[in-house]
Amino acid sequence: GDQVEQSPSALSLHEGTGSALRCNFTTTMRAVQWFQQNSRGSLINLFYLASGTKENGRLKSTFNSKESYSTLHIRDAQLEDSGTYFCAAPNNNAGAKLTFGGGTRLTVRP
Amino acid sequence: GPKVLQIPSHQIIDMGQMVTLNCDPVSNHLYFYWYKQILGQQMEFLVNFYNGKVMEKSKLFKDQFSVERPDGSYFTLKIQPTALEDSAVYFCASSFTKPSAETLYFGSGTRLTVL
């Protein structure tokens, strides 16, 4: 079946630094969606991409459909960025559900 | 942005009883979904629903589970009877078109504890 693999599984950053999270797909996906799950458990929509790159504040995401991966870059990390970041992609059979990756647990330290 | 509301936020229930989780999706959305998450782990797809019918369900969507959305009211997930392994956070989501074409919007989840 369709697989969505995220790396790293956990990441620790000092405030003000940055890093990249990666999402690999085992098959060609038509789109990707990125979410942040905060400390209260709510899922916050970050990006939806069908191709290319989108940027929003300190976050930037790229989706490369041909090479089957997506990245989420965080720069100037803040304490409130802590949480679990999930990527998800629609399945290819009918495209009517999202399959989630295992998530990256990000901890931002002072 | 668009909001999906889930009621209640927490529910504690004895094993064997029935529970109904309610979801108020975004008003013009046509596709509805339930996901299950145990202890902050991976989000697992349960079921999607369109035009009054289940389109697809996973192995986690046991026979004790059912969904409906009578006359445009709440989109509900009913579990009857509940089992201990049903304890999890259940997320509802909705979209106007399929997720291959646009964003899914998620509610804040209902934390279900089965004792």
Side-chain angles (χ1 to χ4, degrees), chain A:
Chain A
D2 299 337
Q3 290 287 332
V4 180
E5 298 163 355
Q6 283 190 251
S7 62
S9 56
L11 179 65
S12 180
L13 292 176
H14 284 294
E15 264 187 304
T17 63
S19 189
L21 284 57
R22 188 163 171 118
C23 184
N24 288 323
F25 312 113
T26 56
T27 61
T28 301
M29 298 297 192
R30 284 178 272 181
V32 66
Q33 202 166 344
W34 283 92
F35 300 89
Q36 179 199 16
Q37 188 167 37
N38 63 19
S39 57
R40 290 182 302 171
S42 297
L43 277 172
I44 300 166
N45 281 32
L46 297 177
F47 295 104
Y48 169 88
L49 297 101
S51 65
T53 297
K54 285 187 180 178
E55 197 162 350
N56 184 4
R58 296 177 291 101
L59 299 178
K60 181 171 76 173
S61 182
T62 297
F63 177 43
N64 189 322
S65 175
K66 284 186 183 174
E67 296 188 19
S68 298
Y69 75 89
S70 176
T71 56
L72 177 68
H73 292 261
I74 302 174
R75 63 176 174 84
D76 188 24
Q78 303 297 305
L79 297 178
E80 61 264 27
D81 295 334
S82 293
T84 302
Y85 289 78
F86 289 100
C87 63
N91 65 316
N92 284 323
N93 283 344
K97 71 176 187 186
L98 281 182
T99 299
F100 279 75
T104 294
R105 188 181 300 274
L106 173 66
T107 304
V108 181
R109 303 184 191 281

Side-chain angles (χ1 to χ4, degrees), chain A residues 4 30-31 33 35 37 40-43 45 47-48 50 84 86 90-91 93-102 105, chain B residues 31 33 35 37 39-45 48 55-56 58 89 91 98-108 111:
Chain A
V4 180
R30 284 178 272 181
Q33 202 166 344
F35 300 89
Q37 188 167 37
R40 290 182 302 171
S42 297
L43 277 172
N45 281 32
F47 295 104
Y48 169 88
T84 302
F86 289 100
N91 65 316
N93 283 344
K97 71 176 187 186
L98 281 182
T99 299
F100 279 75
R105 188 181 300 274
Chain B
Y31 291 79
Y33 315 81
Y35 281 78
Q37 187 182 39
L39 289 174
Q41 294 176 18
Q42 192 158 352
M43 295 280 288
E44 303 280 4
F45 170 79
N48 54 12
M55 292 191 295
E56 186 177 353
S58 72
V89 180
F91 288 91
K98 290 182 179 181
S100 52
E102 72 146 15
T103 301
L104 256 65
Y105 292 91
F106 281 80
S108 299
R111 182 178 299 276

Side-chain angles (χ1 to χ4, degrees), chain B residues 58-105:
Chain B
S58 72
K59 292 178 199 173
L60 295 178
F61 194 79
K62 305 179 296 184
D63 292 342
Q64 297 90 326
F65 288 35
S66 62
V67 290
E68 63 175 356
R69 191 185 188 217
D71 298 324
S73 61
Y74 286 150
F75 175 52
T76 62
L77 173 66
K78 185 187 292 187
I79 309 174
Q80 181 179 24
T82 50
L84 294 176
E85 62 264 26
D86 296 331
S87 293
V89 180
Y90 291 83
F91 288 91
C92 172
S94 70
S95 61
F96 181 69
T97 61
K98 290 182 179 181
S100 52
E102 72 146 15
T103 301
L104 256 65
Y105 292 91

